[in-house]
Amino acid sequence: MMWASLWLSCAVSMCYIYWHYARARTAARYFYHRARKLKAEIQCFLEPVVVPAATRQSIPLLLDMQLEPTAHSERSDEECDDSPEATSNEPLVLDDETDPTDATFINPSNFCFLNAIMHCLFRAPRCRELLTKAIKRRSGSNPASDAKVDCVQLLLGVANDMKNGKDECLDLISMGLPRLLRASSAVWITRPHQEQQDAEECLTFLLNLIHDVVHEPRPPRSPRSKHACAANRARLLRLISESDGMDVEQYRQPLESLSALVYDEHLRDNASFIAREYTGQTVQGAKCHACGRFSVLHQQITIVSLGLHSRDLAMSVESCLDRFKQLEHMCDSNQVFCAGVCRTKTAHSIQTFFTHLPPVLVFQLKRFTFDGARVTKNVAPVYFPAQLLNMAPYVFASAAPSSTYFLYAVCAHIGGSLSRGHYVAYTRRSPTTWLKYDDDVLSILDEPRMRHETMTTAYLLFYART
């Protein structure tokens, strides 16, 4: 009996000691991260961003967020400002701030993918401003609320907290974001045992969620207008199908007109700042080898997936874009259906171009492939322009808005497995320095260091039009 009492008292003492040890470790980790963040803040204060005049003219800095207006962006701003709510005198929280640093996020349960996407999403030019206007407009016209509306409103609240509480470390779980995402049909929220998820899937869900909540009512159209639009589309398609698919000049004008018509109809049916700012359009031209019929297919895209053409050698984003628009010959088992006189699967020559580039252009580097048994990761180095990316060679248009873009954020995946890796966000601080958000740890890097760290880990690239 005495030995049992002694053993019990020892066990209680050990539990008590371990409890204090765990609390000490937690406190030490907390003060360590606070010291790292304080060091970064002191460095920000002691090393102010100095932008040379020549650089300011050549590169639109994220610090200023003053993008050169294009015809499309001017039209979008006018559409956004039509409502009384958008034109009110109440000041909006804008992204043109002196200090681009945001608050960090803790990661208690595999939420690094959500943390990284939040930093990249709300670092986009004018994102908070447009979301604020859209929510105000919706509240004025439709005050009803549900889980999706509450979730989008909370997203804006988190974005504001990120900007206003720059020295804070936010907890998305205690703020209720995962719960509302789950209630909004986000199946990748697996709480209480959260599993690692795909950052691209998270970004796509958030963009679609915001669009579903803030999209504007479809403007009414008369039957006469619908008939005229359908007749015009049929006429353009007929001109394209009757042309020689190998002679670009034969179908350039009707294809450009058709592309503009299709994109305008898409914006009419999906009126939101998400569609205007993030949605681009591609056209796929296909020529049948048997009957010679030339056909086109338009597709709206929000995230451009770029395949990596090597698993060992280094490559560039430009070389991946060259492969994206490369002429493909679909033969043998890859034959496609011909809607012309053939009415069966035939060999085709296919090529894809962009017909519209959005103000915000997001690339997904397809590092993960499924080989039938498991998912493998391609860690080949990929060079990407950190200053200016010229998209003009990949656009089918004789006269298009500005096709040059600058990089403002990178979402990187560290590790060899999609389900067990770790996500980190990099956002631009100045023309030559970057902010690295590794959950609750904030670091300042120069551009060569950022490029070195992301050469084999970059997964999502975020560009904004100059």
Side-chain angles (χ1 to χ4, degrees):
M1 187 69 180
M2 180 183 66
W3 288 105
S5 301
L6 181 62
W7 180 87
L8 180 60
S9 62
C10 290
V12 171
S13 300
M14 290 297 295
C15 291
Y16 184 74
I17 294 173
Y18 180 78
W19 180 71
H20 277 284
Y21 170 72
R23 291 193 63 186
R25 283 190 59 186
T26 302
R29 184 174 182 271
Y30 171 78
F31 286 113
Y32 169 76
H33 290 315
R34 294 290 294 182
R36 289 283 301 271
K37 187 178 296 186
L38 181 61
K39 178 182 177 182
E41 293 170 356
I42 294 174
Q43 186 174 352
C44 283
F45 178 77
L46 295 178
E47 300 179 2
V49 179
V50 179
V51 184
T55 305
R56 182 176 293 275
Q57 293 175 0
S58 59
I59 302 175
L61 303 183
L62 196 61
L63 306 182
D64 297 331
M65 292 301 174
Q66 299 296 328
L67 298 182
E68 298 177 8
T70 63
H72 177 68
S73 63
E74 290 174 355
R75 181 189 67 179
S76 301
D77 291 340
E78 292 171 0
E79 293 172 356
C80 289
D81 295 338
D82 284 341
S83 65
E85 292 79 13
T87 57
S88 64
N89 294 324
E90 182 179 349
L92 293 176
V93 181
L94 305 178
D95 278 329
D96 51 353
E97 52 196 355
T98 304
D99 181 8
T101 310
D102 294 337
T104 58
F105 296 108
I106 67 171
N107 180 23
S109 178
N110 286 333
F111 275 113
C112 60
F113 69 98
L114 181 58
N115 295 346
I117 288 300
M118 291 292 290
H119 285 294
C120 295
L121 175 62
F122 289 106
R123 181 41 53 190
R126 302 182 60 222
C127 181
R128 282 194 306 150
E129 173 193 356
L130 295 175
L131 180 56
T132 303
K133 289 182 178 180
I135 289 180
K136 290 176 65 178
R137 184 185 301 109
R138 186 196 182 280
S139 300
S141 60
N142 182 17
S145 179
D146 55 21
K148 290 186 176 181
V149 175
D150 294 340
C151 188
V152 172
Q153 290 177 339
L154 180 57
L155 282 173
L156 179 59
V158 173
N160 290 332
D161 290 344
M162 290 167 58
K163 309 297 179 183
N164 300 330
K166 297 180 182 299
D167 59 342
E168 299 296 327
C169 184
L170 307 180
D171 185 355
L172 294 179
I173 296 179
S174 64
M175 298 175 77
L177 185 59
R179 175 181 58 82
L180 285 177
L181 286 172
R182 182 66 179 179
S184 302
S185 303
V187 296
W188 36 267
I189 296 295
T190 59
R191 293 275 298 166
H193 304 292
Q194 178 63 38
E195 299 176 357
Q196 184 63 279
Q197 301 295 331
D198 185 0
E200 185 274 334
E201 181 181 354
C202 175
L203 175 62
T204 300
F205 180 88
L206 293 181
L207 292 176
N208 291 336
L209 174 65
I210 295 173
H211 169 77
D212 291 343
V213 171
V214 305
H215 74 275
E216 302 155 21
R218 182 182 304 177
R221 299 179 64 184
S222 65
R224 183 177 180 179
S225 175
K226 293 181 180 179
H227 177 75
C229 184
N232 190 26
R233 176 187 284 225
R235 179 183 63 84
L236 294 172
L237 285 172
R238 184 178 68 256
L239 291 174
I240 293 172
S241 63
E242 293 174 352
S243 65
D244 182 3
M246 298 304 170
D247 187 357
V248 177
E249 297 306 321
Q250 286 192 21
Y251 60 83
R252 177 182 296 278
Q253 193 280 327
L255 180 54
E256 290 181 357
S257 300
L258 179 63
S259 299
L261 177 64
V262 172
Y263 188 75
D264 288 343
E265 288 183 351
H266 173 75
L267 290 185
R268 175 184 289 272
D269 296 337
N270 301 271
S272 74
F273 81 91
I274 294 295
R276 290 185 290 263
E277 295 290 314
Y278 290 88
T279 303
Q281 183 175 263
T282 62
V283 62
Q284 184 184 80
K287 183 176 178 64
C288 177
H289 292 183
C291 67
R293 180 179 181 270
F294 183 60
S295 59
V296 294
L297 176 65
H298 289 88
Q299 182 179 7
Q300 287 72 40
I301 54 174
T302 303
I303 299 176
V304 181
S305 295
L306 294 180
L308 306 187
H309 51 84
S310 174
R311 299 193 66 89
D312 305 310
L313 302 178
M315 68 202 84
S316 66
V317 165
E318 290 88 346
S319 67
C320 295
L321 284 167
D322 289 336
R323 293 295 184 100
F324 181 84
K325 72 163 189 176
Q326 187 176 22
L327 185 66
E328 297 181 78
H329 299 288
M330 312 299 290
C331 305
D332 301 328
S333 60
N334 294 322
Q335 293 181 354
V336 296
F337 183 80
C338 174
V341 297
C342 299
R343 310 301 298 177
T344 185
K345 287 187 175 182
T346 60
H348 279 69
S349 294
I350 296 178
Q351 191 171 21
T352 303
F353 279 92
F354 292 94
T355 58
H356 178 83
L357 294 173
V360 177
L361 187 58
V362 183
F363 292 110
Q364 176 198 18
L365 303 181
K366 298 176 68 174
R367 293 193 177 274
F368 300 99
T369 55
F370 182 67
D371 58 7
R374 60 192 180 94
V375 177
T376 59
K377 182 180 179 181
N378 187 339
V379 294
V382 178
Y383 296 92
F384 51 88
Q387 302 294 348
L388 293 180
L389 170 65
N390 182 19
M391 290 293 294
Y394 316 104
V395 181
F396 187 92
S398 55
S402 174
S403 300
T404 56
Y405 288 77
F406 72 98
L407 184 72
Y408 70 85
V410 177
C411 179
H413 179 272
I414 302 172
S417 171
L418 182 62
S419 60
R420 296 174 182 265
H422 180 65
Y423 286 98
V424 177
Y426 299 80
T427 64
R428 183 179 290 278
R429 173 176 177 257
S430 77
T432 58
T433 58
W434 288 74
L435 297 168
K436 177 183 178 182
Y437 296 94
D438 186 355
D439 290 330
D440 55 351
V441 179
L442 173 64
S443 308
I444 299 179
L445 311 176
D446 58 17
E447 191 162 289
R449 181 65 182 177
M450 183 278 294
R451 296 173 71 91
H452 174 75
E453 291 189 4
T454 57
M455 189 177 301
T456 59
T457 62
Y459 182 50
L460 297 173
L461 305 176
F462 296 78
Y463 285 89
R465 179 185 286 147
T466 60

